[in-house]
């Protein structure tokens, strides 16, 4: 498998009043192969969107390197890469400009990148509305005339317009009715197969993740705690946080639900993350060393691709 994106020791910190620092993403390393779907999961506030925005070039990292097609992304190399990394947001109502007809919305990334002529951009928009399953007359209409699911199709068409290789999808289904979710999910699968796209698929819904993705990365309080192939990670989670997340999803976690209860308490603040392992304050396996030593991400027994950061991984 050829690597498309490499996330190398990325941290994203935000300044906060009083000179304090929000550690939204802390020292995360991950990669995405060509044509692969990597899920990013974790509770709200774990840093998923921040990492997604960084990958999409919307949020500069505080430290670390992104490498795309083998090239480190810097202010010099981003302009050429930008077209190839697009994003779809959670809220299909907020993401589209209400004053802009659908044709212009879809063609806008091409206009921003100065790709093609106005005629070729319109032709591309016409091709895309069909590809995402919208009626052809959608082109001259406005966002308010469409349902949530249709708007998410428009957002997908817009993301596809400059022919990207990677799409960051930040909770793309969670604002949609359950009945619509599978239709949009199927569309994402279909265009992926046709175009050989990679996805960074951000979701807190593990049942959805189970249907789409190749690999799963689990974030907790900005840290990558476990990563691995979907079947390995869902079938035999090595990190107690992953185990607890899965236990809350009946269809996937049923077998484990009895011995791994819900996670205790609230997630601590990223302004003041726990020392040592960030999960130790809520962890059923915690020992004294867990509050002192940050666990490194290591292969789970005998499995190179499945890794977890836990002193007492299973
Ligand atoms: P998730 O998408 O997993 O819910 P986010 O990436 O949105 O998590 O947020 C991670 C943490 O970073 C949260 O504590 C959030 O409040 C904080 N955060 C995100 N964006 C900013 C920002 N622009 N300024 C300050 N704090 C932020
Ligand atoms: Mg988010």
């Amino acid at each position: 498998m050829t690597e498309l994106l490499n996330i190398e020791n990325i941290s994203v910190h935000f300044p906060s009043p009083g000179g304090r620092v929000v550690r939204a993403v802390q020292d995360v390393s991950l990669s995405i192969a060509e044509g692969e779907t990597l899920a990013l999961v974790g509770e709200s506030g774990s840093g998923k969107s921040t990492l997604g925005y960084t990958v999409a070039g919307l949020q500069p990292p505080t430290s670390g390197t992104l490498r795309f097609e083998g090239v480190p992304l810097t202010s010099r190399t981003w302009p050429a890469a930008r077209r190839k990394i697009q994003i779809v947001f959670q809220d299909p109502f907020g993401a589209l400009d209400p004053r802009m007809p659908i044709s212009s919305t879809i063609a806008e990334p091409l206009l921003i990148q100065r790709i093609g002529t106005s005629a070729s951009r319109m032709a591309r928009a016409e091709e895309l509305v069909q590809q995402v399953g919208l009626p052809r007359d959608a082109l001259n209409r406005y966002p308010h005339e469409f349902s949530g699911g249709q708007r998410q199709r428009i957002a997908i068409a817009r993301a596809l317009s400059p022919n990207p290789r990677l799409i960051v999808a930040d909770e793309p289904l969670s604002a949609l009715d359950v009945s619509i979710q599978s239709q949009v999910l199927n569309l994402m699968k279909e265009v992926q197969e046709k175009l050989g796209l990679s996805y960074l698929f951000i979701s807190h819904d593990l049942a959805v993740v189970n249907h789409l993705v190749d690999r799963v990365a689990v974030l907790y309080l900005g840290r990558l705690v476990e990563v691995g192939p979907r079947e390995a990670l869902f079938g035999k989670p090595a990190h107690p946080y992953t185990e607890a997340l899965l236990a809350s999803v009946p269809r996937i976690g049923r077998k484990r639900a009895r011995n791994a209860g819900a996670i205790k308490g609230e997630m601590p603040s990223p302004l003041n993350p726990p020392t040592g392992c960030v999960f130790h304050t809520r962890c059923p396996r915690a020992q004294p060393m867990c509050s002192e030593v940050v666990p490194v991400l290591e292969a789970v027994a005998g499995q190179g691709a499945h890794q977890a950061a836990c002193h007492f991984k299973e």
Side-chain angles (χ1 to χ4, degrees):
M1 272 200 297
T2 314
E3 183 177 277
L4 182 66
L5 176 81
N6 189 243
I7 299 169
E8 212 174 278
N9 304 111
I10 290 284
S11 295
V12 186
H13 297 173
F14 297 107
S16 162
R20 298 207 293 169
V21 174
V22 179
R23 294 167 202 278
V25 175
Q26 190 63 39
D27 201 21
V28 170
S29 296
L30 278 172
S31 70
I32 302 180
E34 286 179 358
E36 182 183 48
T37 298
L38 176 71
L40 204 51
V41 307
E43 282 166 284
S44 172
S46 56
K48 305 181 299 295
S49 293
T50 302
L51 185 59
Y53 296 164
T54 298
V55 167
L58 303 176
Q59 171 63 55
T62 307
S63 59
T65 307
L66 290 176
R67 221 177 281 277
F68 188 75
E69 297 175 326
V71 177
L73 293 176
T74 62
S75 52
R76 191 178 57 78
T77 56
W78 255 115
R82 197 165 291 280
R83 168 185 82 72
K84 301 179 190 174
I85 308 175
Q86 295 293 313
I87 186 163
V88 173
F89 296 99
Q90 169 176 2
D91 175 13
F93 294 88
L96 308 178
D97 185 337
R99 294 154 307 177
M100 211 187 254
I102 303 312
S103 55
S104 306
T105 292
I106 294 175
E108 197 181 30
L110 296 171
L111 184 65
I112 293 169
Q113 298 279 319
R114 302 205 185 103
I115 297 170
T117 61
S118 72
S120 72
R121 289 191 288 267
M122 282 306 120
R124 177 79 178 131
E126 204 173 318
E127 173 185 52
L128 283 162
V129 290
Q130 291 179 48
Q131 187 164 6
V132 301
L134 289 165
R136 184 179 282 224
D137 71 358
L139 285 169
N140 300 316
R141 290 156 62 191
Y142 288 83
H144 73 267
E145 301 177 56
F146 297 90
S147 67
Q150 286 174 320
R151 288 189 206 202
Q152 208 53 309
R153 287 176 191 269
I154 295 164
I156 291 168
R158 175 188 162 91
L160 291 173
S161 76
N163 248 320
R165 301 195 68 196
L166 172 66
I167 291 184
V168 175
D170 188 4
E171 309 260 10
L173 310 178
S174 53
L176 306 178
D177 288 347
V178 175
S179 59
I180 306 297
Q181 288 185 358
S182 60
Q183 295 172 18
V184 175
L185 193 64
N186 287 339
L187 172 68
M188 289 185 67
K189 270 189 194 169
E190 194 183 298
V191 296
Q192 177 172 46
E193 275 164 30
K194 192 158 170 217
L195 306 170
L197 286 172
S198 302
Y199 288 132
L200 178 60
F201 189 88
I202 297 172
S203 181
H204 66 272
D205 186 341
L206 298 180
V208 166
V209 165
N210 198 26
H211 282 288
L212 181 76
V213 313
D214 303 305
R215 279 192 308 136
V216 181
V218 184
L219 283 188
Y220 179 77
L221 211 53
R223 295 263 185 186
L224 179 63
V225 298
E226 183 161 4
V227 60
R230 178 178 51 86
E231 316 83 70
L233 191 138
F234 281 3
K236 203 172 182 310
H239 197 286
Y241 179 62
T242 312
E243 189 167 62
L245 275 185
L246 287 169
S248 62
V249 187
R251 265 179 301 164
I252 305 172
R254 197 185 303 125
K255 276 183 288 189
R256 311 199 134 244
R258 258 173 277 121
N259 45 23
I263 314 164
K264 296 179 290 187
E266 296 277 301
M267 188 159 84
S269 165
L271 274 170
N272 190 15
T275 56
C277 173
V278 282
F279 189 56
H280 85 261
T281 56
R282 302 168 81 190
C283 181
R285 288 182 215 159
Q287 299 291 322
M289 76 175 293
C290 300
S291 61
E292 290 159 19
V293 185
V294 177
V296 295
L297 196 71
E298 286 174 332
V300 173
Q303 299 202 10
H306 185 184
Q307 301 175 314
C310 175
H311 297 303
F312 302 100
K313 55 181 172 291
E314 286 201 329

